[in-house]
Amino acid sequence: MAIAMLFAVGLTSCEDFLDSENYTQANSSNYPASAGDLNKELAALYGVMNQFSTTPLETPWFVGYIMSDDANGAGGTGDVEAHAVGHLMANKEDLFDNAWHNTYVGIARANAIIYAVDAFDWTGQEKTRNQLLGEAYFMRGLFYLWGVQFWGDIPAYWASAAPDPCPQESAENVIMPHILADFTSAANLMTHGMTTRGDGHATKGAAEGYLARAYMFYEGFYKKAGELANANLADVTFDFEQEGAGASLSKAQVVAFLEDAINNGGYKLIEDYRLLWQYTNEYTIKDYAFVKDLDKAGKVWAGNGNEEEMFQIQYMNAGSWNGTIGMGFVNQVSLYTGLRCDDDGAGTANGDANTLPFGQGWGQGTINANLWDEWSDSDPRKKATILDAQAECEKFVFTTSCSEDAGYYNKKWMPITCSKSTWDDHNTAYTWWGVYRSENTSAANNNKNSFQGDHFADIILLRLADVMLMHSELTGDATQMNKVRARAGLPATTYSWKNIKDERRFELAGEGLRFNDLRRWSGKDGGASCEAAVALQKQDGSRVNYTGHWTVMHHGQGVGGSSWAQRYADTDGFVMIPPQQISIVGNPELLKQNPGWGASATGANMSGCPVYD
């Protein structure tokens, strides 16, 4: 990670257009100079995910979570950006500038490795060479997938350097087949066991899982295939040559890859769903009544990089508000999703001993009340995922600055405290991670603020339960779905499209996957009556607290806009391409804005936060 913080691969062309720059003296004319240098480039490639993390409201995981029907933008009455993202609107032109920039930095770094790998002699080290190349293909596919899901048709290239000009390509016809080829190459080139689980590297199993995720989005969203288990899906043809990709990809191949990941990847379901989340850590588990049974049984949090995690964003004790990407090495989503700070006007605040073990934060990404209401209490995952703060905390308050807060919070991402937390001093060892750091390591509290900086839990991007559910959705066989349900203590059920949709919603709630699931179940150009639009529209009228009083949500309340359903219909779930990039190009034949955005778009702009009655 230290290498990733310091090193970047330079580009030789198209720098202005792709909003990238050379950060060091090393460039493509003098680097890499040896096979060993490629590992440094690989570290820098993974480091792009931490660059994404510097601005949580531009990350695929947090944005996808807030844009879904299961979460509100929330935060404070002045948090316009969070509200705008949650309402499928924009509050500023540079809303997604960093996401655009980081996407292309990632693509450039992946391409640099792919096109340099055979400049060196790998005799006797072919598996090492293939693993490294497979990881580069995986990361290139990942960044393009994120780019396509954010913006749709984007500039794209698959060479050592970007052409100039670098025009927009069709996501459906050009980019998605390349993404599928990248994940296929990665899956075929990598070998199970070549990397240590949880060490931050992509694995063969991760590539197989992401291949299925990309394939299902392609077939569902772009090809409008509907229920994939019963759809007659044509093979995806690759009209280009790429090592490890083959000439085409079939549904049967995707299913076989999933089965290989499930059976041979070395992953397994963690025995108790609660053990996936950091509130069962060794410092907290004795303090939290909800998990006392686990403590009595001698069980504790499975930890970062556990046996169910297949790919994740990793963090470390290096958070600082100084520097370009310092806070990218802190899980800021944990800070953003904590209990709303400030007080209730009478001096009572959240996040100290009265809400143990849930810490204070900025109150963004609260759970929408509909998810709580529509999720059966008989499913143990409900209370393992959602904090009903009013019922569960000793004393929770709605603050004078809260907005879109129904009192439901995402336990999977929230900051966690413990009995040793420094309640009167949030700067030293406020979170349980801060206590652990101070007692077990010599690492300094780099940003001098434990409340903001001591957050090191992984953001899990892919876990085995997700892979198992994708298998059931593709095959119509409920076997893997029922294994996931059995882990939660739920009875077996039969396969139906509704059942698998519900299972994905509840098993993966709060993990940032729901929005793109809704999109692929709806199909492109689904309009205001498609499944995604209808689900999003249900947020209108859901109960929320605003500055201490109860009211209901309305789309664009007091700031213009029509409805969630119409905003989805207008945009198909794509976000705004940064206008600065369009201005730099200055040619709509090369780069144009997405529908539903721009000065002439109806209901796209949010100049201030909604003010609720």
Side-chain angles (χ1 to χ4, degrees):
M1 283 189 175
I3 294 170
M5 292 173 70
L6 297 172
F7 180 79
V9 176
L11 302 180
T12 59
S13 65
C14 218
E15 290 187 1
D16 288 340
F17 175 67
L18 296 181
D19 191 21
S20 59
E21 57 186 293
N22 189 357
Y23 298 115
T24 71
Q25 294 297 318
N27 57 59
S28 56
S29 67
N30 62 22
Y31 202 92
S34 68
D37 287 339
L38 289 176
N39 282 318
K40 298 177 183 178
E41 291 199 20
L42 190 62
L45 175 56
Y46 286 114
V48 177
M49 296 190 292
N50 295 100
Q51 290 179 234
F52 263 102
S53 296
T54 60
T55 49
L57 282 165
E58 297 188 50
T59 62
W61 48 97
F62 198 39
V63 169
Y65 167 65
I66 291 178
M67 289 178 74
S68 80
D69 59 326
D70 286 347
N72 305 329
T77 53
D79 289 331
V80 188
E81 187 171 346
H83 286 80
V85 171
H87 287 254
L88 280 63
M89 300 170 76
N91 69 305
K92 55 185 179 179
E93 286 200 341
D94 65 351
L95 183 59
F96 293 107
D97 277 8
N98 286 330
W100 182 274
H101 167 84
N102 291 326
T103 297
Y104 285 102
V105 170
I107 290 166
R109 292 183 185 182
N111 278 330
I113 295 171
I114 291 167
Y115 284 92
V117 70
D118 284 330
F120 311 103
D121 183 9
W122 294 96
T123 302
Q125 301 181 73
E126 288 82 5
K127 281 190 175 181
T128 300
R129 178 259 186 200
N130 289 348
Q131 178 69 27
L132 189 152
L133 180 58
E135 290 182 51
Y137 276 128
F138 174 90
M139 293 303 293
R140 186 174 72 176
L142 178 67
F143 288 122
Y144 269 124
L145 179 62
W146 285 350
V148 163
Q149 290 179 330
F150 258 146
W151 298 291
D153 297 349
I154 56 174
Y157 68 102
W158 295 272
S160 58
D164 190 4
C166 188
Q168 251 173 328
E169 298 284 1
S170 165
E172 177 179 350
N173 299 317
V174 178
I175 305 175
M176 283 301 307
H178 273 280
I179 291 170
L180 296 172
D182 279 352
F183 287 133
T184 303
S185 292
N188 283 324
L189 285 165
M190 290 194 277
T191 304
H192 290 306
M194 281 294 289
T195 59
T196 303
R197 187 189 65 251
D199 69 358
H201 286 258
T203 63
K204 180 181 179 71
E208 292 169 324
Y210 261 95
L211 172 60
R213 182 177 291 178
Y215 177 80
M216 294 166 76
F217 186 80
Y218 172 71
E219 294 291 357
F221 182 76
Y222 283 107
K223 296 303 181 182
K224 307 177 187 179
E227 185 179 0
L228 296 178
N230 297 321
N232 183 17
L233 305 177
D235 291 357
V236 182
T237 301
F238 303 146
D239 60 357
F240 49 87
E241 291 186 4
Q242 180 170 296
E243 184 175 355
S248 62
L249 179 70
S250 68
K251 175 181 171 181
Q253 286 176 284
V254 175
V255 170
F257 276 124
L258 286 175
E259 291 172 351
D260 181 61
I262 293 167
N263 297 323
N264 304 313
Y267 303 98
K268 69 177 185 179
L269 295 177
I270 297 302
E271 60 179 313
D272 190 292
Y273 189 76
R274 295 169 294 175
L275 294 173
L276 285 165
W277 317 114
Q278 62 168 326
Y279 56 74
T280 57
N281 74 82
E282 61 189 284
Y283 279 77
T284 300
I285 196 166
K286 295 181 185 300
D287 302 325
Y288 186 22
F290 180 63
V291 293
K292 282 286 182 70
D293 60 309
L294 293 174
D295 179 48
K296 289 179 180 178
K299 298 174 182 177
V300 71
W301 181 45
N304 286 336
N306 62 64
E307 292 177 301
E308 188 167 333
E309 285 189 29
M310 299 180 71
F311 194 60
Q312 65 284 115
I313 312 290
Q314 295 184 325
Y315 301 95
M316 63 179 184
N317 184 59
S320 171
W321 291 111
N322 298 318
T324 305
I325 61 170
M327 287 300 284
F329 292 90
V330 168
N331 181 352
Q332 285 194 78
V333 167
S334 192
L335 169 63
Y336 276 53
T337 57
L339 297 169
R340 179 65 195 165
C341 54
D342 303 327
D343 61 44
D344 61 352
T348 302
N350 297 313
D352 291 334
N354 56 349
T355 58
L356 182 75
F358 299 102
Q360 188 178 94
W362 293 341
Q364 297 184 12
T366 57
I367 295 289
N368 185 274
N370 290 339
L371 176 58
W372 178 268
D373 295 344
E374 294 169 11
W375 198 344
S376 171
D377 288 341
S378 65
D379 187 337
R381 295 171 298 188
K382 177 179 178 178
K383 292 183 179 179
T385 299
I386 303 175
L387 170 65
D388 179 357
Q390 290 178 284
E392 199 171 341
C393 295
E394 180 181 328
K395 187 174 183 181
F396 167 81
V397 298
F398 291 102
T399 72
T400 57
S401 66
C402 77
S403 178
E404 299 185 344
D405 185 349
Y408 302 121
Y409 284 77
N410 184 355
K411 288 183 180 180
K412 293 179 178 179
W413 283 348
M414 292 180 72
I416 303 300
T417 59
C418 65
S419 59
K420 293 183 177 182
S421 292
T422 51
W423 307 121
D424 296 329
D425 177 11
H426 290 184
N427 295 324
T428 53
Y430 173 64
T431 68
W432 85 268
W433 277 111
V435 174
Y436 180 90
R437 171 187 49 74
S438 65
E439 291 190 354
N440 295 279
T441 77
S442 59
N445 184 15
N446 286 347
N447 73 349
K448 311 302 180 186
N449 189 322
S450 181
F451 154 63
Q452 294 182 356
D454 275 330
H455 305 290
F456 310 131
D458 290 346
I459 289 288
I460 303 172
L461 298 178
L462 180 73
R463 56 186 178 92
L464 181 60
D466 182 4
V467 168
M468 296 168 76
L469 293 179
M470 286 192 284
H471 183 275
S472 285
E473 187 175 352
L474 275 173
T475 63
D477 182 340
T479 301
Q480 298 300 331
M481 176 172 65
N482 282 328
K483 289 179 182 179
V484 172
R485 288 177 59 82
R487 187 264 298 273
L490 296 170
T493 188
T494 58
Y495 168 83
S496 71
W497 202 19
K498 181 183 185 304
N499 283 349
I500 191 64
K501 288 176 181 178
D502 287 345
E503 200 62 34
R504 285 192 63 82
R505 184 186 189 190
F506 299 137
E507 171 69 24
L508 304 170
E511 298 180 47
L513 302 177
R514 169 75 171 170
F515 186 65
N516 283 317
D517 277 351
L518 286 171
R519 294 173 76 193
R520 64 184 180 83
W521 294 331
S522 301
K524 192 173 183 293
D525 302 319
S529 61
C530 72
E531 184 168 348
V534 170
L536 292 169
Q537 186 59 37
K538 287 179 67 176
Q539 296 173 97
D540 203 89
S542 62
R543 65 186 178 280
V544 289
N545 197 285
Y546 178 78
T547 66
H549 68 273
W550 286 99
T551 182
V552 295
M553 290 258 283
H554 288 302
H555 176 81
Q557 172 93 10
V559 294
S562 47
S563 67
W564 266 290
Q566 192 57 52
R567 280 301 296 153
Y568 183 81
D570 290 345
T571 64
D572 247 337
F574 294 119
V575 301
M576 174 179 63
I577 292 175
Q580 181 186 17
Q581 297 301 316
I582 296 173
S583 297
I584 290 171
V585 175
N587 182 348
E589 296 298 317
L590 296 175
L591 184 63
K592 63 182 179 180
Q593 187 56 268
N594 281 325
W597 298 101
S600 61
T602 302
N605 301 313
M606 180 179 284
S607 58
C609 285
V611 177
Y612 291 98
D613 297 332

